[in-house]
Amino acid sequence: MPKITVGAENGAPVELHYEVQGSGVPVVLIHGWPLSGRSWDSQVTALVEAGYQAVTYDRRGFGHSTPTWDGHDYDTIASDLHALLTHLDLSGATLVGFSAGGGAVARYILNHGTARVAKAVLASSVTPFLHVTEGNPEGGLDDGTIAHFEAGIRADRPGFVDQFLTLLYSAGGTSSVSEAQRLFGRDLANLASMRATLTGPSQFGRTDFRPDLAKFDVPTLVLHGDSDAVVPFHVSGRRSAATISGSELVLIEGGPHGLNVSHADQFNAALLDFLAR
């Protein structure tokens, strides 16, 4: 199981688990909250079969990476991603971020630039700014909702995760995946630490990525489902596409939040078409 050390906490190394599959132009897949790199299984297969190199990793506190107490802010998340790209000496990479992972792509470009990056993909992304404030009334996540999430996690994290995975794949109140697929996602989410799960809503909810998107200078694809019940299209995808100059928008009909799983064929087709150009 390959790992990279990205820091230390309480005298112990902070390690990120990563996997590299295939060869060719690298595509780095950044998972959402509270999942892991395994949530990209359908994309890894499609990418490698199409001649690309697929790189996945577990962010700190998720999957098989170190369950740290600190380091769940987006500056650290971007720094960890930069350490991975540097360790693997990747160049000309496409960064693909799902949900909270979209914020990682945005903060990476703001803090570390695009010397190693050729393209970017924001899928069901939390960008540009979810928090409802006086200056951002069109956001979709208010303080009461964040507090509700946190209370649910504190009281019964497994129960919260079970409900969230139902919502992740729901479109119009109906599940878009099999129960077995939903349970697989739930099992991935249950690997996350309590701390990483608990800090997520505030971090992805209250981080303003609007300055980050203004720094995008590479071709960018925005992928979103029109039935996303977690991060609705009008709150995120539409605004992100409008903010990033020259970006391409693909809206998947009937797609829930977890559309890379529920609508994997359409998602992969859009991704591969974008990569080929």
Side-chain angles (χ1 to χ4, degrees):
M1 183 180 292
K3 291 187 176 183
I4 175 179
T5 299
V6 293
E9 186 174 274
N10 295 324
V14 175
E15 297 178 320
L16 302 184
H17 165 244
Y18 69 90
E19 295 183 8
V20 180
Q21 307 286 348
S23 59
V25 176
V27 180
V28 182
L29 304 162
I30 303 131
H31 68 81
W33 172 91
L35 302 169
S36 74
R38 285 296 307 279
S39 61
W40 291 109
D41 280 1
S42 295
Q43 284 66 53
V44 170
T45 300
L47 287 166
V48 174
E49 290 179 346
Y52 294 93
Q53 182 180 77
V55 179
T56 59
Y57 73 104
D58 300 337
R59 294 196 287 113
R60 59 173 71 194
F62 300 94
H64 297 288
S65 292
T66 303
T68 60
W69 187 260
D70 295 319
H72 302 293
D73 61 284
Y74 271 94
D75 286 334
T76 303
I77 291 169
S79 178
D80 287 350
L81 175 57
H82 185 61
L84 177 64
L85 267 60
T86 302
H87 173 73
L88 296 176
D89 194 23
L90 299 183
S91 60
T94 295
L95 302 183
V96 183
F98 167 72
S99 191
V105 173
R107 186 51 50 92
Y108 180 89
I109 290 176
L110 176 69
N111 288 356
H112 301 281
T114 54
R116 294 184 177 273
V117 180
K119 296 182 179 182
V121 179
L122 302 176
S124 303
S125 176
V126 296
T127 54
F129 190 23
L130 292 185
H131 196 204
V132 177
T133 65
E134 183 176 341
N136 188 50
E138 61 270 43
L141 198 60
D142 58 26
D143 289 327
T145 302
I146 293 174
H148 178 72
F149 274 34
E150 292 172 342
I153 295 165
R154 288 181 185 275
D156 180 6
R157 187 177 72 90
F160 174 88
V161 165
D162 185 67
Q163 294 178 9
F164 182 75
L165 263 292
T166 297
L167 186 63
L168 188 81
Y169 297 125
S170 292
T174 301
S175 179
S176 298
V177 300
S178 68
E179 178 63 3
Q181 184 67 67
R182 189 191 74 85
L183 292 176
F184 175 72
R186 185 195 68 180
D187 291 345
L188 295 181
N190 277 328
L191 288 175
S193 72
M194 177 68 169
R195 176 68 173 173
T197 306
L198 183 60
T199 59
S202 181
Q203 291 297 332
F204 65 69
R206 292 191 171 104
T207 300
D208 186 354
F209 297 106
R210 290 176 296 185
D212 308 48
L213 299 189
K215 293 293 186 179
F216 275 46
D217 59 358
V218 294
T220 302
L221 171 66
V222 177
L223 262 169
H224 221 99
D226 68 1
S227 299
D228 190 331
V230 177
V231 182
F233 170 65
H234 69 277
V235 170
S236 171
R238 183 167 64 190
R239 295 173 64 202
S240 293
T243 301
I244 302 170
S245 178
S247 63
E248 177 183 346
L249 172 64
V250 173
L251 185 63
I252 295 180
E253 183 178 358
H257 189 60
L259 78 169
N260 68 305
V261 174
S262 65
H263 292 63
D265 288 346
Q266 291 168 263
F267 185 102
N268 294 342
L271 176 59
L272 291 173
D273 178 68
F274 176 68
L275 291 172
R277 286 187 269 116

